[in-house]
Every structure is written in C-alpha cells, then in structure tokens.
C-alpha cells in the first residue's frame, strides 16, 4: 500500500474504534448508574476503572472512586484519554483527516457531536441526568453507524472501518466480562436470588445483549450462561466469537479483492483464535480459569492489531503498536 493510503487506512480504522468505544462506555455508565445503589455500589464504580485499566490515572487526580468523580472522569474530562469526549474528539480528528474519503454527512454528524460535548456543562452529568446524557451519546454513535452504512463508499476503507469496529467490540466485551464476572460471582446462598439475577441483567445490558440472550434462554440466568453467550454465541454481533469471525472474513476479503500482500500474520493469529473459540466450551473455560482465558484473548487481539499495523499502517515496532492503542 502507498503511504497516503496507509494513513487513510489507519484513520478509518481508528475512527470506527473510537466511535464504538464512546458508545460502549456510555452504555456501561448508564447501566452502572442504575445498579449502583446496592451494597456493592462503590465496587460498581471502581469496576469501570478496572475495565479500562485506569486506576492509576484516576487516583492521581482523585481520592475516591465515587459516582461524581468517576462519571466526570469518563464523560467530559478532556484530560482523560479514555473518556467519552476524548474518544469522540479522536474520532472527529480522524474524520477530518478522511475528508477526501468520507461522506459529508459522516463528517457533519461527528463534528456536531464533538461540539455538543465540548459545550456541555458538568451539571448535565448529575446522576438523575446521566441516563439522558448516555442516551444522547449512544444514539449519536448509532446514528454515525447508520450514516456510514448508508453513505460510505465500498472500497478498501470500508473493510478497515469494519475491522476496526469489530476489534473494538471484542476488546470491550472481554474487558467488561473479565472484571464483572469475578466481581459478581456470588456466595452460594445468593445464586439465583433476585439481586444476583439483576446484576447479570446489568452485564448483558452493558453489552447490549439482554434481549438477544432472552431469545436464546427465555428463563433463568446463570453466570456461566451469560459468560458463554458473550464469549461464544455466533449470532450475537458483540460476542467475541462473532467479532473474531467478522475480522477474519473482512481481512480475507480485503486481501483477495484488492490483492494486498500483507496481513498474513494477522490472519494466522485470527485462525488460531477462531479455532479455540469454535471448539472450547464455557465449562472448560471456567474450570481452567475465566481470567486466564480472557487474558489470552486480549493478548491475541493486541497481536492482531499489531500485525495489521505493521502490514497496513506503517507500524515498525511494538512501541508504535503500544502508542497507537492509547
């Protein structure tokens, strides 16, 4: 690929990832606020820091991981690179680079969302208003996805957009499940209680998967069933397995349609990951260790990202890969 195309490929890949990241974070904050009033409320807010691996950054500025501090940190704090406003600003910055390629509608919509967040006062984030804020962000990100689907030209850039979105989805699902699974594992006497079920409802809703899960399992809700659904169910578009298959298929189509030489190592990593996700059961994962299994998936996703960067974005070292993931 020529250098100019490499720059565009990287920008479209990251634009997709940042929009997906903002939507996922808005959903997690919204659901967390709803379920933060029980005896584990303080753990619920701290768990968001753990999902994003932000505890060190957060506690450098704040003494306590209470609702007010965590909400602002992840919504309108432009000093935090993992906040919603930072993700949207990064998506807009990449979209500006892509002005020769993306539709006018895509650019206008992201620009308007970025400006709206920049002008929003902190008072809009109080807990009674947080749901409205999160709904606005989710709807704006979903609008972007719809506009992109309806207006974006189908060439190489389209494939990089889809690959970026799927990698981000897989990454976010594994992060959320890793933290929440161990936080919410109940004592024996709490299994199946209304509180236990409500928390697993929250996990599914954080991944936009509650209604899809209920189509597969109309009644009952066990931790293993929820984990298995989010990891392995091929018909749920945010499951890790569905995302990995999507990445692999898109990358194969990209290489064959445009005769691209690079990407072989990324496909090899994807093939190994697909093979395991297709064959292993959730009971086997639980017996061997949920955290260890998810950690292995995370390492694989990082390697896939790195191999894509080396093949198409001009990354030349692991340092480049680490810096690009910030």
């Amino acid at each position: 690929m020529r250098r100019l195309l490499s720059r565009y490929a990287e920008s479209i890949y990251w634009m997709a990832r940042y929009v997906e990241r903002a939507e996922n974070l808005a959903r997690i904050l919204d659901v967390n606020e709803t379920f933060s009033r029980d005896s584990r409320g303080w753990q619920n807010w701290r768990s968001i820091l753990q999902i994003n691996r932000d505890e060190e950054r957060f506690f450098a500025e704040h003494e306590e991981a209470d609702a007010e501090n965590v909400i602002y940190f992840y919504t309108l704090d432009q000093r935090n690179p993992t906040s919603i406003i930072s993700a949207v600003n990064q998506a807009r910055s990449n979209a500006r680079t892509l002005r020769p390629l993306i539709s006018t509608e895509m650019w206008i919509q992201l620009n308007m969302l970025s400006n709206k967040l920049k002008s929003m006062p902190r008072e809009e984030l109080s807990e009674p208003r947080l749901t409205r804020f999160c709904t606005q962000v989710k709807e704006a990100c979903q609008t972007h996805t719809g506009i992109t689907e309806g207006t974006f030209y189908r060439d190489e850039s389209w494939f990089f957009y889809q690959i970026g979105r799927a990698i981000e989805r897989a990454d976010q699902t594994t992060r959320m499940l890793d933290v929440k699974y161990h936080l919410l594992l109940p004592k024996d006497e709490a299994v199946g209680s209304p509180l236990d079920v409500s928390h697993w409802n929250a996990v599914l809703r954080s991944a936009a998967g509650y209604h899809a899960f209920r189509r597969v399992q109309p009644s009952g809700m066990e931790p293993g069933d929820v984990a298995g659904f989010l990891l392995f169910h091929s018909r749920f578009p945010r499951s890790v397995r569905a995302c990995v298959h999507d990445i692999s298929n898109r990358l194969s189509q990209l290489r064959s349609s445009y005769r691209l030489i690079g990407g072989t190592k990324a496909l090899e990593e994807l093939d190994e990951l697909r093979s395991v996700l297709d064959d292993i059961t959730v009971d086997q994962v639980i017996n061997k260790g949920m955290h260890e299994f998810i950690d292995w998936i995370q390492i694989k996703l990082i390697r896939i990202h790195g191999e894509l960067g080396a093949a198409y974005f001009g990354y030349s070292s692991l340092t480049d890969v680490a810096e690009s993931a910030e």
Side-chain angles (χ1 to χ4, degrees), residues 49 52-59 73-74 80 82:
L49 300 174
N52 293 283
R53 299 168 186 168
D54 276 337
E55 289 177 288
E56 181 177 351
R57 181 185 291 127
F58 177 86
F59 287 113
F73 183 74
Y74 278 121
N80 174 23
T82 59

Side-chain angles (χ1 to χ4, degrees), residues 171-190:
D171 178 67
Q172 293 293 327
T173 298
T174 53
R175 286 172 183 259
M176 186 270 295
L177 182 59
D178 187 27
V179 172
K180 292 293 188 179
Y181 184 84
H182 292 283
L183 173 64
L184 297 180
L185 277 181
K187 298 178 181 178
D188 291 341
E189 64 270 17

Side-chain angles (χ1 to χ4, degrees), residues 20 34 45 84-85 89 107 122 133 136 183 189 199-200 205 227 244 247-248 266 281 318 320 322:
E20 184 71 22
T34 302
W45 289 114
I84 287 174
I85 192 170
N89 287 343
W107 164 249
R122 185 167 182 168
F133 170 86
Q136 290 173 344
L183 173 64
E189 64 270 17
H199 279 299
W200 289 106
R205 292 182 189 278
V244 169
I247 298 163
S248 181
T281 67
L318 290 176
D320 290 343

